[in-house]
Amino acid sequence: MLEHIPHWLGSALKGLRAGANKLAIVQPELGSFEVLHLASPAFANGGRLPERFTADGEGVSPPLFWTGVPEGTQCLALIVEDPDAPAPQPLVHAVVWGLPADGDLKEGAIRADGAGAEGKDVGRNSYLGEGWLPPDPPTGHGPHNYAFQLFALGGGCEIGENPGRSALVKAMAGHVLAAGLLTGVYSRGEEAPTGLVGETAPV
């Protein structure tokens, strides 16, 4: 949809971005926590998100894996946000919870699942749809950083059906034992770094 925004308008909006300080992982109500390792075999931390995971390709969700989940973890939750969206708040691309501590997510796994499937439940993105919202940055707006944020929870796993990002963050408050951050970059018609696959970002 946003690919139809004229290049001149995207360029004019370059200075309008939600801001990384509004990402879920830095919200004070989540408290302090340990760091876990979140990575993808498909792209490096800080590297370009392959087109097949975006609105310019197949639009499927990327594969993810994690290690370093602390003892006492009852479940994991994933929030994917775009802090570079030209909006007051980051654009939410995925909300998933109830993930197992020793698991991973296969390519295309973040999709509408109703009341949950395969040990996970998928909530609502910013377009109020259930599942993966493919990255679709405005043409000319510059690189967008897509923040994959994984949380190991010692409680708060019973959230209800199809919550959005705000409901999930509220439920996680006081329960986060560890968190990991992985960033993929995407833009239209502009270069983005490639990086090394498997690298993770400091939290």
Side-chain angles (χ1 to χ4, degrees):
M1 183 174 69
L2 296 183
E3 71 272 15
H4 300 303
I5 290 179
H7 189 281
W8 66 264
L9 181 56
S11 296
L13 294 173
K14 271 191 175 182
L16 180 60
R17 295 173 186 264
N21 63 320
K22 295 180 180 178
L23 290 172
I25 200 167
V26 296
Q27 297 313 301
E29 60 264 37
L30 298 186
S32 58
F33 40 76
E34 298 177 21
V35 176
L36 59 80
H37 178 85
L38 175 63
S40 174
F43 64 96
N45 179 56
R48 189 168 179 83
L49 199 63
E51 191 172 284
R52 68 179 180 276
F53 305 125
T54 76
D56 294 328
E58 291 85 349
V60 297
S61 61
L64 302 170
F65 66 90
W66 49 84
T67 58
V69 177
E71 290 186 16
T73 298
Q74 295 185 17
C75 70
L76 298 176
L78 176 73
I79 298 176
V80 184
E81 297 178 285
D82 173 12
D84 294 307
Q89 298 294 328
L91 196 68
V92 179
H93 288 265
V95 170
V96 187
W97 74 100
L99 294 166
D102 58 351
D104 59 9
L105 278 175
K106 307 299 184 186
E107 181 173 315
I110 303 177
R111 59 183 182 275
D113 65 358
E118 301 175 359
K120 69 179 187 304
D121 225 331
V122 178
R124 292 177 286 108
N125 55 48
S126 281
Y127 285 8
L128 303 181
E130 188 182 288
W132 173 247
L133 177 63
D136 186 20
T139 302
H141 195 249
H144 280 221
N145 293 276
Y146 296 89
F148 294 75
Q149 305 154 91
L150 185 68
F151 303 90
L153 307 178
C157 296
E158 300 299 324
I159 300 167
E161 291 187 12
N162 303 329
R165 181 262 196 198
S166 296
L168 181 56
V169 170
K170 183 177 179 180
M172 292 194 304
H175 299 293
V176 180
L177 303 179
L181 175 65
L182 172 67
T183 301
V185 182
Y186 193 70
S187 61
R188 285 195 166 100
E190 299 182 52
E191 293 184 3
T194 54
L196 299 175
V197 173
E199 287 184 333
T200 54
V203 176

